[in-house]
Amino acid sequence: MSRQSLSIALSGSGGSGVMTCGSMLLEAAGKAGWYGIMTRSAGPQIRGGEAAALLRVSNEPLESHDDSFDLVLALDPGSLGRFVAEIPLRDDSVIICDMAGGRRNATLPETAAREIDLPMKKMAKAVKGGRPNMIALGVLARVIGLPESSINRILDKALKSKGPDALEASRACVKEGFIAAVDLPAFTGPPIVAVPDGERWSITGNEAAGLGAVRGGVRFVAAYPITPATEVLEWLATSLPKLGGVLVQAEDELASINQIIGASFGGKPSLTATSGPGLALMTESIGLSVCAEVPVVVLDVMRCGPSTGIATKNEQTDLNIALNGLHGDAPHLVLAPTSLTDCIFTTQWAVHLAEAMQAPAIVLSDQSLGQTRAIVNAPADIAFLAKREVPEPGEEKLQGETYQRYAIGATGVSPMTIPGQPGGQYTADGLEHTEAGAPSSLYADHLAQLDKRSNKITGFNYGEHWADIDGTGDTMVITWGSACGPVREALTRLRAHGADIKMLAIRLLAPERPEDMSAALEGIKRILIVEQSHSKQFYRYLRAAYDLPGEVRVFNRPGPLAFKPGEIIEQLADWCGGDKS
Amino acid sequence: MSRQSLSIALSGSGGSGVMTCGSMLLEAAGKAGWYGIMTRSAGPQIRGGEAAALLRVSNEPLESHDDSFDLVLALDPGSLGRFVAEIPLRDDSVIICDMAGGRRNATLPETAAREIDLPMKKMAKAVKGGRPNMIALGVLARVIGLPESSINRILDKALKSKGPDALEASRACVKEGFIAAVDLPAFTGPPIVAVPDGERWSITGNEAAGLGAVRGGVRFVAAYPITPATEVLEWLATSLPKLGGVLVQAEDELASINQIIGASFGGKPSLTATSGPGLALMTESIGLSVCAEVPVVVLDVMRCGPSTGIATKNEQTDLNIALNGLHGDAPHLVLAPTSLTDCIFTTQWAVHLAEAMQAPAIVLSDQSLGQTRAIVNAPADIAFLAKREVPEPGEEKLQGETYQRYAIGATGVSPMTIPGQPGGQYTADGLEHTEAGAPSSLYADHLAQLDKRSNKITGFNYGEHWADIDGTGDTMVITWGSACGPVREALTRLRAHGADIKMLAIRLLAPERPEDMSAALEGIKRILIVEQSHSKQFYRYLRAAYDLPGEVRVFNRPGPLAFKPGEIIEQLADWCGGDKS
Amino acid sequence: MTNATTGTGLKAREYKSGIKPVWCPGCGDFTVLGSLTKALSGLQIAPENVAIISGIGCSSRMPTYLSTYGFHGVHGRALALATGLKVARPDLTVIATGGDGDGFSIGGNHFLHTCRRNPDMTYIVMDNQVYGMTKGQASPTTEPNWEKGKLTPSGTGINPFQPLVIALASGANFIARCSSSDQNGTARTIVEAIRHPGFSLVQVLSPCVTFRPEQRDWKKLVQPAPVEATSDPARAARRLLTDKGLFTGVLFKGNRPPYQPLLEPGIDNIAELDEEFRL
Amino acid sequence: MTNATTGTGLKAREYKSGIKPVWCPGCGDFTVLGSLTKALSGLQIAPENVAIISGIGCSSRMPTYLSTYGFHGVHGRALALATGLKVARPDLTVIATGGDGDGFSIGGNHFLHTCRRNPDMTYIVMDNQVYGMTKGQASPTTEPNWEKGKLTPSGTGINPFQPLVIALASGANFIARCSSSDQNGTARTIVEAIRHPGFSLVQVLSPCVTFRPEQRDWKKLVQPAPVEATSDPARAARRLLTDKGLFTGVLFKGNRPPYQPLLEPGIDNIAELDEEFRL
Ligand SMILES: Cc1ncc(C[n+]2csc(CCOP(=O)(O)OP(=O)(O)O)c2C)c(N)n1
Ligand SMILES: Cc1ncc(C[n+]2csc(CCOP(=O)(O)OP(=O)(O)O)c2C)c(N)n1
Ligand code: SF4
Ligand code: SF4
Ligand SMILES: [Mg+2]
Ligand SMILES: [Mg+2]
């Protein structure tokens, strides 16, 4: 049967190389001209536990897994069990499993899905230096209709370092796989349209965030490793030096946040990346960046909380702390990417905004956006660049007794000198201060500076970027972050059946945009709010910030179970006359 | 002229002893049978700057300063300037100032207030070992109508350690003051009704919080000093050992929060006290106490933020971080005392609640409640005691393979063993876990434990204590913390003129109490919200948590300028037909 | 667990919880788990009177694998948790466990001040000179020229942290180094550490076979310290400053009294506290 | 400030901002402020090329009183702020200032790791063995039997923190002790510290006349170290472990290269980074 997209799950025990197989399959699909995504799932073992690669390919860009999987391949019979919840099947799904060495883990749900025993280990043994995962690669490529050529191009690239024998062995295994697959049920995937080299990218959300940061102008990063943010740092650690920038591995998050504040005080756009526990340690000093008006960007790649929670899994529950986690009245920016590729734009824009307003910006990415790898269209480079208002040497404000670092001014943004600039000396301070930066405990100074710090942020012109709005109608879905993907796909399906639904994906969470929001809510009668949180953090934020008209419904659940397009459609079914999918 | 309460301001340069004079005057007033409050105000100097003692006495209990001051005494002419904003005067106010050594600081606002030059320094010189502040004590006592005897009783008590000469000198100065005051305009204060010894207490909110903590059962405290919470710790440092408890001065707030979690895991009810910056450092580990279900109490004595802000001044702006400062979905308790004496009850209740629910409780006191000294009626001792549900040795739940530390159960509160109890061994964990406490990354376990942790807190029976509600009518003032005092006085005045206004002072800020709140809001048409915050944190919290009926008005301003009863009355004027005060 | 509740005749395996460790096959921490349970069985302390406290990291998973009380806290705070517990419950045997990142990077300040405070507890650090849990970054004990660190591709270029020297300089009362390759020796040292009053530091060289496979060679490189443990800080300092970090055994045994505020009430009725407030 | 903007002929007072310090009359920090401005004038560094970085405390108010760039950060993080600034702006003269509580209690971890990292900056700690700003609690350097500490009424009972020993053990490259009673001597030492490459620690005994009035006697008790500064850590350690904390002068001068990643672009067009993502 032919489908517009194909979903494939690959599982195996530790060291069986399912991830390598999955990545190669994804890249091959990309080379062939398909779009695709791949996510990884693994047990608690640091190394050596069961692992699964979940793939989906299509000739349309993808942002979400499908409601169910077409094809499951298990290199070891025992390895499927732990992933059943993540691999919903249909009666017409196919399971290819190497039954050798164990009985197939019985916990698979009851479906009529057809099971086929394929002795991949045995086949691999027959090849000198062969490995079962390369057999699987061939099998899968053949079954989903990828040309052997595209696989071989990937093998060449991936194995050239490993020498000719390794390459030979893999090629041979792939060929074996292709042959073995001939009698397997074939899935006619989406039509294959070749695309010129370089037009498509293979990138993860974490790499995208790193790219957005340096595109925005970030040249100093200090950070302490933490899952699932570490890949952002790993990418920056190798990329920054190329640009004359630097990444410092700090002793802890207290050091990393303060190091970037220090570097930014020195004039370098600076960023740190972390996850919930690290963000919690940084809030005191993010408050310093608010009060001293030193711009920094803090990227939080969210994971399941509370506390250490589930470090490797997705949740959208650092919204509370990002919005309200600072002590005192501390206006700052909070943004969230609305898709994997948007991690580039949103991070880059965050750098621009932080620098323009001399304030901290927290970017809320999440494990799902960050660690998913996708084949996408080459993203455009947007012009947003760090641009900090610096007084010209010799400008009046530098004459006279002292430079007024915290001058109130019209916008609340006061030109900021950089150490080295003569006559611009001042002391940046976390104490409340006068316009000249001298400590003050007077109500008048406190009020004036509180107004300044909040006006500069609420009064800024953010243009259209505060949210992604599309569609029409009086029913609206409001969501954010990684929940946007499944929602978009659900709405695409519903609209294909004539439903009229509007979608609002909020990129700028703080400050609030009352006018923009009321414009967006114009004529809305029904609202569905979708978020991956047990305590409805996003819904409560919307309540506090905005007046939500009409009937409001909240579809929320904690991580790690990702939303499926079909589930969103169910939520909307009675609002648009029955399940249209 | 006679008033039902008298307000007196005393100022002097560093070392002039205005605080001693003020405290003695307050105590004497208490001895004489009056109620009173005294707050301190000082410049940035650590020692030696100008200082002012602001007193108010009455024959009714007091919770707020008055709209203006009746009497100002300046030991040095220059010392008044910095406090003018805090010392509003009336045309019939009187200023007694020692003009010797300088011109009276010109910045006093324009009033017809009468000024009298009194050479207190000169008078003191005339007395062997005499000090001007003791002259002032005599003068003030006489002017407000305190018997010399009550002053002398205080002197005896205060100076006995200092030896007979010091006592003699002070007595002599006081007498001189009394004589000199004869020709000064006298204020007939409220009638003096003697009360038996011990019926009245002299206490600060910080001491009250400490007392509430030990009454609640707290026997372990770890903390790191910070203004304005330090006095809580100082009181506990000397009081805990008497009770077989201990206070550990930790190396930082990360250590103090984790030390109390460790001690509580060991079975000892534990507390730490801090202020905004310290709370910010603790949030990660407060999340641990949520997830591992280890009860702790964190007392935050709030001060002006953001960042270091104004460390010595009052503001109510740690509400955001207390409610929403934890990463992930982390249900916990947030409480706030509704008056200075209520610091005892609320802290004690917080210990009780934390222990009963095995969850962290954050108590939001503030600088104004904490550092004000008041003469009050001896507070009752309430029965609330730390009571943690511990499985009986030999109970079933201890048999079988392993003890189910995190058993879901009916209420979500699962009996918690204490190290030393045989068969009750378990590992407390910040990782998501199964009912037995084994780490788990499964959705089902995560959901079950998230439900457990939130149900145990939302389902608890808090009785009437969630808020102080008084009055009737369809107009309501909703407020919290130190803002309650001026509001109560305003309403008392308005009601005396027949206005019908309801007051809601919220003690339990989290979890929310939807039923209780709708009952309280029954029939309300107009709401005034009063809070000391620039960004309307309390109003935004109320919006997110509750549906506020009718017309809603917010009277908010940042610290350090305290609310005055008259200002609240102005806000309500048009709602209850003109200023009724 | 019936006889686990009485302190008699307990075998090492009875100190195990039975939960399967998440560790990679071959990880040194397996052996340390073995040494720890052997030590506890050697001391015959009832599991309910032992508390194993840790932070976050592969090595910090330890408490979960024992049948004692345990606390798997947040990253870097194990010693603060343990100090609170020990001060509040002097009757318990408190043991903190963790890694070089947890203890010396994010946890460095608590390490300094716990050594100073000298509570009567034992701290076992599984040092693999890497962050294992987060997949291979340099730790404070990593050599400056290790170029495989994922955040320090050209090496850290900075002075490695010397845990034993810092412990000595801050006031730790017992300092030892072990190698996970010697399970029984490590067990014996842990027994000594627990018995010695005050704060005992046991650094165990415990290979991370996944991110530092070369550490498998440690078993060949380590050797017993040539001299007896000293109680003279100056002498111990000279030795530690010169040793290459591969001498095992007890290196310092001090005699500072442990930190333990006594917990005896001075008054019998809490109401007595009210007096100071009465006018 | 015209000639303050050129580095020539600047007098000490021109390095003062003119803002009145909040310090108590007689506080040792006044003299340290004098020494620091004298040192800067001695070096004739233009004020705009100097950044004074601090945390919170009486001593941490320092930056406000100078006419240079300054950052008065949060409590305990001065060295992290300063490290970020120095790594990003190697051209600046970065000086961190603060107190014993800010630097060794809450700031202890950054102290350890900044010594290890060894950036080219100077750290001036005004040690008064007390928390002045919060009105008189014991600090890490307080003697164990000081019973006036408001949170430790019967003394801390714990081992004082030895900043110079820890600095040495962690890798600081220059270690000196001064007394605020000798303003010129302190100024000279600060000059040396700034000139010496890498991380320089200058501990200044600076009395808190309000909460530790007895410290006024320090001026009588301190004496110049009997020996020249050494560059041998082992020897320096032996000396520091035995000295009573009252020897002044430069005690250690190391020769470890400072931490300074170079900031030179390897590619001229950022778009080159896109390549790795293209299929
Ligand atoms: C506040 C915080 N920051 C960062 C992390 C991520 N993290 C978990 S373990 C770890 C390092 C562990 O290294 P080590 O203590 O040496 O243990 P090992 O895994 O090597 O045994 C880090 C950085 C975290 N969990 N919490
Ligand atoms: C996070 C945080 N915790 C606590 C405080 C309160 N605090 C301010 S200064 C200080 C100690 C200062 O001692 P030290 O560094 O020795 O400076 P000194 O006043 O003695 O010069 C403390 C505890 C704070 N400002 N921030
Ligand atoms: S990663 Fe290293 S430390 Fe962690 S379990 Fe594997 S081998 Fe052990
Ligand atoms: S309190 Fe002590 S340290 Fe602070 S200014 Fe006064 S004398 Fe100096
Ligand atoms: Mg390690
Ligand atoms: Mg100090």
Side-chain angles (χ1 to χ4, degrees), chain A residues 328-329 446 450, chain B residues 301-306 310 313-318 365-368 480 482 532-534 557-560:
Chain A
D329 285 318
H446 188 40
L450 282 165
Chain B
V301 185
M302 298 182 285
R303 62 191 215 183
C304 290
I310 310 175
K313 306 282 183 179
N314 190 57
E315 204 166 65
Q316 298 182 288
T317 50
D318 292 348
S365 177
D366 59 43
Q367 182 274 335
S368 168
W480 72 294
S482 59
Q532 189 117 45
S533 152
H534 183 265
R557 86 169 157 221

Side-chain angles (χ1 to χ4, degrees), chain C residues 21-52:
Chain C
V22 298
W23 297 320
C24 307
C27 176
D29 297 350
F30 281 102
T31 337
V32 180
L33 171 57
S35 302
L36 182 50
T37 54
K38 275 195 162 78
L40 291 172
S41 144
L43 289 158
Q44 285 296 306
I45 315 173
E48 64 267 23
N49 296 329
V50 179
I52 313 284

Side-chain angles (χ1 to χ4, degrees), chain B residues 150-221:
Chain B
S150 65
I151 299 287
N152 287 331
R153 285 171 62 191
I154 301 300
L155 286 179
D156 300 348
K157 186 173 148 215
L159 299 175
K160 62 167 124 42
S161 55
K162 297 254 186 339
D165 300 5
L167 182 57
E168 225 4 270
S170 298
R171 276 170 172 275
C173 288
V174 168
K175 181 172 260 48
E176 285 303 315
F178 262 83
I179 297 161
V182 176
D183 355 299
L184 298 179
F187 293 78
T188 329
I192 291 186
V193 192
V195 288
D197 280 0
E199 249 186 41
R200 299 274 164 84
W201 282 21
S202 167
I203 191 169
T204 67
N206 277 343
E207 290 166 341
L211 182 63
V214 294
R215 280 186 175 183
V218 168
R219 292 298 179 268
F220 182 90
V221 172

Side-chain angles (χ1 to χ4, degrees), chain B residues 31 198 200-202 215 235 242 249 251-252 258-259 266 268 418-422 424-431, chain C residues 5 47-48 63 67 69-72 77 80-81 84-85 88-89 109-110 117 263 265-267 274 276-279:
Chain B
K31 281 278 180 204
R200 299 274 164 84
W201 282 21
S202 167
R215 280 186 175 183
W235 188 86
K242 298 177 187 159
Q249 181 180 322
E251 55 270 32
D252 60 23
N258 281 281
Q259 282 192 20
K268 285 258 165 71
I418 300 306
Q421 178 163 353
Q425 296 96 303
Y426 72 99
T427 294
D429 209 326
L431 280 175
Chain C
T5 68
E48 64 267 23
S67 66
Y69 280 90
F71 204 135
H72 183 224
R77 315 299 164 203
L81 272 177
L85 177 59
R89 290 292 308 278
N109 203 34
H110 310 305
R117 215 175 262 121
L263 310 173
I267 59 177
D274 299 356
E276 72 186 88
F277 301 118
R278 297 192 194 281
L279 272 181

Side-chain angles (χ1 to χ4, degrees), chain A residues 305 307-309 315 317-318 320-321 324-325 327-329 430 432 446 450-451 512 534-535 537 540 543-544 546-547 559, chain B residues 305 307-309 315 317-318 320-321 324-325 327-329 430 432 446 451 512 534-535 537 540 543-544 546-547 559:
Chain A
S307 195
T308 313
E315 204 166 66
T317 49
D318 292 347
N320 280 350
I321 183 174
N324 295 313
H327 70 276
D329 285 318
E432 193 51 279
H446 188 40
L450 282 165
D451 285 337
E512 294 141 18
H534 183 265
S535 65
Q537 297 187 11
R540 297 165 56 77
R543 266 186 71 101
Y546 303 113
D547 295 308
Chain B
S307 196
T308 312
E315 204 166 65
T317 50
D318 292 348
N320 279 351
I321 184 175
N324 295 313
H327 70 276
D329 285 318
E432 194 52 279
H446 188 40
D451 285 337
E512 294 140 19
H534 183 265
S535 65
Q537 297 188 10
R540 298 166 55 78
R543 267 187 70 101
Y546 304 112
D547 295 308

